[in-house]
Every structure is written in C-alpha cells, then in structure tokens.
Amino acid sequence: MQGKIKKIQFISLAIFFAALLFLLLFLFITRRNNSYKNKDETAEKAGKLILGFSQIGSESAWRTRNTESIFEAAAENDIQIIFDDAQQKQENQLKAIRSFIVYQVDVIAFVPIVEDGWENVLTEAKEAGIPVILVDRQINADPSLYAGFLGENGLEEGRRAARFLLNKCRNRTSTVNIYEMSGTENSSVVRDRAKGFREIISTDPKFKIIHSEDGDFLRSRGKEIAENLITSSHRKDGLFFEGEKIDVVYSHNDSMTLGMLDSIENYGVYTKNTIIISVDAEQKSIDALTAGKLNCVVECNPNLGPMLMALVKQIALGDDIPRVTYNPETVFTENDDFSTYEPRGY
Ligand code: AHR
C-alpha cells in the first residue's frame, strides 16, 4: 500500500514538472516571436530597409574590420541589419539565409565561405522575391540567382603579388623556390589569388612553386606551418621544405603571415634573404613591412560597408545593380616611402 502511494506521488510530481516545463517553453517561444514581430513592425513603421547579413566569422583582423564597416555604413544610411555570424560553417550560413527569407527582409547579403552549395537556398530567396548580394567572395551558381557581387579582385591581387616578385628577382638566373600558404579551401578568393599569381610567374620558368599548404586564413595555422618547417629541417639559416631552400613565401593573408613571423621569431630563424609576400594590409603587417620583416603587402580592402549600402538602396528602388563591383586596392612594398602611409584602421 505504502509503495503504491509513493508511486502515485512520484507520477504526480513528474506530470507537474513536465507541465511546468511545457509552460515555460511555450512562454519562451511566444516571447521570442513577439520580439521578432515588434522589431519588424518598428523597422517597418520607421520605413527602414531591412538587410539580412550573414558573415562567415571573425578569423582575422581583416574580417572584423569588414563587419564593422558594414555596421557603421548601415547606421549612417539608416538601414536595419539582421546579422548572423556563421562561425566558419556553411551550414550556419544556409540556416541564416533561410531565416532571413522567413523574416522577409528587403535584401540579403552574405559572404560565401566556399564557392559551391548555394543553388537551393538562393532559389528559395529568388522565389520569395528577395534580392541577394554576394559580398567579398564569389560562388559557382547560376548568375540569375543573385543580383551582383561586391568585393575584391582576387585575380588582380594574385597578379600584383607576382608582379612584385618578378621585379624583385629580375636579375636572378637560378631557380626561385616558392612556398605558398593558402586560405580556406574551396573559397573563391583562394582560387583567384592562386590563379592570378600563377598566371604571372608562369611567364618565367625560373619560378617554381615547391609546395602549397592550406593555412585556412588563420594566424594559429601560419604559426604551426612555420614551426613544422623549422623543426623538421633543424636549421636556422632560413626556411626549408623537404630539404629545399624556400626563397619566397607567398601567403594569402596577413593573419597566416603574422603567425609565421611569430614562429620565425620564437625559433630565431634568419629570414632576411627570404622574400615574404602577404595579402590584406592590416596595420600589423604594414608595421612588419616597415620593420623589414616583409617585402610586399598586397592590399585587400575590407571597407565594403558604404558601397554595400549604396547597392542595397539601389536594389530597394527596383534598379539593377552592376554584376560586379570591385573595391579600389593598392600594393605596399619595401621600396615605398613609409612616411606617406596613413594608419590602416584594422
Ligand atoms: O575573403 C577575404 C579574406 O578572408 C581575407 O584576405 C582574409 O584575411 C579573410 O579571412
């Protein structure tokens, strides 16, 4: 009998807690939906444009500045942003874009982490009548699925890096061994920076790419890659890959380059006669250039915000936007007058 009562008490308690849990869950969902609705209504009442923006993450100082630039320009243009940080995962970007569609934003902008896998979600956006702008990176998809691309000219960045190298080695006749550190695999920017670079160096057979390593655009990877080169060669008179002297490092971004410099410094490796070329032009890499640790830094301009907002407004008026809009970019080299450099701001 006693046992039976205890069992009934236990079941009643379990039912009570289950009901409580259900109630809390219900309250949480309704509150959340209401707050979305309020946000929507507020923006609509204010006649504000709503931009859904999916960023890939914050892997570099470049990326952080890119996000800041977009937020600053949105505020200046009175455009409301619904932001999602994909933490370097394409699946998170797909989810974010789908949520922007459900939310019925006016325009969607996103930085495609990789080139492939966007057709379905962009078809959904098109069917919902929401125009899409690609920011910073391009995709492999039917061009009718997006309104246009805004960002850097990666091909030209690769060519600029190679042109510097050609000029620097113009009097050299022996083979020039190049070690490449590339960024995120299957991203358009990596494809373009590699392609543009090869296009120019292939005009002279003395240039040889001895290895290409994926550093995922991360400082930690650049550091690790250099550490592996140093510890496996057991030498401090330069960088070596499988017994071959590395004459040139071509690094696809500053984060990886700065990571490599960390290891070079930690192990006390002599790299004065190693040509190091980087891309982005963060303040820290410009400082390394002026300190003689780098030879060339190709700019990749992260300040895309003002141009993006101009395109968003143009689309909202029902106008077409250019298929491709490039941000102006330059090159910084060891031959410059450093006193003319302005602070980079990232
Ligand atoms: O897509 C642009 C690249 O992504 C930048 O060069 C790099 O720093 C960033 O992570």
Side-chain angles (χ1 to χ4, degrees):
M1 189 62 183
Q2 197 76 343
K4 212 171 175 186
I5 292 171
K6 272 201 173 154
K7 203 172 167 190
I8 290 169
Q9 278 175 337
F10 178 77
I11 292 170
S12 318
L13 267 175
I15 292 171
F16 172 74
F17 280 117
L20 193 64
L21 200 69
F22 181 76
L23 185 70
L24 287 174
L25 204 67
F26 175 76
L27 286 174
F28 172 73
I29 291 169
T30 1
R31 255 187 82 112
R32 210 174 61 149
N33 286 347
N34 280 341
S35 74
Y36 280 158
K37 220 168 132 201
N38 290 341
K39 245 198 270 168
D40 208 356
E41 279 166 3
T42 322
E44 257 170 33
K45 264 187 217 150
K48 273 192 183 190
L49 282 176
I50 304 177
L51 170 69
F53 175 54
S54 160
Q55 178 60 282
I56 57 177
S58 48
E59 74 281 4
S60 57
W62 188 99
R63 183 67 54 204
T64 307
R65 176 62 209 143
N66 178 241
T67 308
E68 279 168 7
S69 164
I70 288 168
F71 269 95
E72 283 165 12
E76 275 158 24
N77 286 277
D78 209 19
I79 291 174
Q80 186 190 336
I81 289 198
I82 300 180
F83 179 73
D84 185 82
D85 174 344
Q87 316 261 333
Q88 308 295 323
K89 289 198 177 96
Q90 184 182 29
E91 67 204 70
N92 290 345
Q93 291 203 282
L94 294 171
K95 270 188 217 151
I97 295 170
R98 290 202 163 97
S99 76
F100 299 154
I101 297 171
V102 172
Y103 198 83
Q104 294 185 305
V105 297
D106 297 298
V107 180
I108 292 172
F110 78 109
V111 178
I113 185 158
V114 289
E115 284 188 290
D116 297 314
W118 304 102
E119 297 260 354
N120 289 346
V121 79
L122 293 187
T123 305
E124 290 164 35
K126 192 178 179 180
E127 282 167 3
I130 303 174
V132 175
I133 304 175
L134 308 182
V135 179
D136 169 35
R137 297 188 186 173
Q138 312 224 29
I139 59 172
N140 272 331
D142 174 355
S144 75
L145 292 176
Y146 56 93
F149 161 81
L150 163 70
E152 67 271 25
N153 185 340
L155 263 183
E156 201 45 43
E157 290 170 352
R159 289 183 190 131
R160 286 183 182 137
R163 282 190 202 112
F164 168 81
L165 185 59
L166 246 69
N167 186 43
K168 172 98 180 155
C169 300
R170 64 191 178 282
N171 297 322
R172 190 165 160 165
T173 47
S174 56
T175 304
V176 179
N177 286 335
I178 303 166
Y179 186 93
E180 182 181 46
M181 270 199 299
S182 62
T184 308
E185 224 182 330
N186 300 322
S187 62
S188 66
V189 69
V190 163
R191 189 236 308 134
D192 287 346
R193 285 176 188 168
K195 195 174 166 198
F197 185 77
R198 282 161 178 76
E199 184 190 299
I200 302 296
I201 59 159
S202 65
T203 58
D204 188 334
K206 74 181 176 213
F207 293 106
K208 190 175 140 202
I209 297 180
I210 54 170
H211 186 70
S212 186
E213 186 73 32
D214 175 5
D216 210 8
F217 285 133
L218 297 171
R219 187 167 181 149
S220 56
R221 279 288 294 141
K223 190 172 179 207
E224 183 182 49
I225 289 168
E227 188 160 19
N228 288 342
L229 291 172
I230 297 163
T231 52
S232 58
S233 73
H234 305 289
R235 294 179 69 159
K236 295 201 172 177
D237 56 336
L239 295 170
F240 293 82
F241 174 73
E242 295 182 353
E244 287 196 271
K245 169 95 172 57
I246 296 173
D247 300 307
V248 180
V249 174
Y250 170 43
S251 165
H252 283 214
N253 91 337
D254 284 346
S255 295
M256 296 185 295
T257 313
L258 294 167
M260 176 170 260
L261 291 182
D262 288 342
S263 286
I264 289 172
E265 271 163 32
N266 289 348
Y267 285 86
V269 176
Y270 183 81
T271 51
K272 278 265 176 272
N273 54 18
T274 312
I275 301 166
I276 306 182
I277 304 172
S278 188
V279 184
D280 274 359
E282 292 179 11
Q283 187 61 53
K284 281 188 181 149
S285 94
I286 294 298
D287 293 345
L289 175 74
T290 56
K293 296 175 187 171
L294 301 182
N295 303 80
C296 172
V297 183
V298 176
E299 184 189 29
C300 176
N301 190 345
N303 298 305
L304 297 172
M307 287 163 111
L308 178 60
M309 298 313 145
L311 296 176
V312 168
K313 287 201 222 167
Q314 210 174 318
I315 288 185
L317 288 174
D319 294 338
D320 285 341
I321 60 164
R323 289 302 305 165
V324 173
T325 307
Y326 289 133
N327 215 2
E329 291 171 339
T330 186
V331 184
F332 301 91
T333 82
E334 59 191 0
N335 309 316
D336 294 348
D337 171 5
F338 302 142
S339 69
T340 61
Y341 285 175
E342 298 280 336
R344 302 293 301 152
Y346 63 99

